[in-house]
Amino acid sequence: MMLTPFGSMIVGFLAGIISVLGFKYLSPILEAKLKIQDTCGVHNLHGMPGILGAVVGAITASVVPKEVYGNGLKKVFPDVANGVRDTSYQGAMQAASIAVTLGIALFGGLVVGFILKLPMLGAPRDNACFEDSIYWEVPGEEHHMEELTVVRTEEDEKLNS
């Protein structure tokens, strides 16, 4: 909360770097090793920069002295302003909330993942996941199409080479 504009620019710059590096290096590892397909890039675009922001928020909440907040302390952290909590406890609570949020997200993701993998839902093969004509009518195609187009990935090309 009390980063100043320069500090916010640094955190934003780091978040951008984390996002790009995640797309370049982490996504292929997640897909190859864990079979996790982040088709929209949510993990890299929102997840990792969000965690960075939450960690920076917890750190600043715990190390910034009360005097820096001035009158805004009552609006941002009323319990700290009233003396119920100190700043280090507030930072610890924010760090704990990161862990709780990640736990809920992981649990929810696992439950949804297991539901989507149920055989009764008829999930397509992994190499057909990005083929729109499985689910929708694609312009220029007839309804009596006998064979679907298989989308080749870079990994498929490397294996076939």
Side-chain angles (χ1 to χ4, degrees):
M1 295 289 179
M2 301 307 290
L3 281 178
T4 72
F6 182 71
S8 298
M9 286 174 38
I10 291 173
V11 172
F13 177 75
L14 291 174
I17 289 174
I18 287 172
S19 180
V20 171
L21 292 177
F23 275 110
K24 177 73 176 159
Y25 298 107
L26 186 60
S27 289
I29 292 171
L30 290 175
E31 189 169 340
K33 304 288 184 193
L34 300 176
K35 304 293 184 210
I36 295 174
Q37 296 176 349
D38 185 11
T39 58
C40 297
V42 174
H43 177 259
N44 299 314
L45 188 60
H46 300 288
M48 293 190 313
I51 290 173
L52 172 68
V55 168
V56 169
I59 291 170
T60 56
S62 64
V63 298
V64 174
K66 293 180 185 181
E67 297 78 34
V68 173
Y69 284 97
N71 295 333
L73 185 61
K74 288 183 181 179
K75 293 179 183 177
V76 178
F77 301 123
D79 286 345
V80 175
N82 296 332
V84 177
R85 293 184 183 166
D86 64 349
T87 55
S88 61
Y89 183 76
Q90 180 64 41
M93 291 279 75
Q94 288 189 231
S97 69
I98 297 169
V100 170
T101 302
L102 289 175
I104 291 170
L106 287 172
F107 177 74
L110 287 172
V111 169
V112 170
F114 284 124
I115 290 171
L116 291 176
K117 291 216 178 250
L118 290 174
M120 67 182 183
L121 294 178
R125 301 176 322 275
D126 282 345
N127 63 349
C129 285
F130 300 104
E131 180 60 45
D132 290 340
S133 63
I134 294 174
Y135 302 104
W136 296 284
E137 292 181 23
V138 179
E141 295 182 355
E142 300 297 326
H143 296 288
H144 60 279
M145 193 169 145
E146 287 115 20
E147 186 177 325
L148 296 175
T149 305
V150 177
V151 177
R152 300 254 183 237
T153 62
E154 288 182 25
E155 289 81 21
D156 290 338
E157 297 297 327
K158 288 178 185 175
L159 290 174
N160 291 334
S161 297

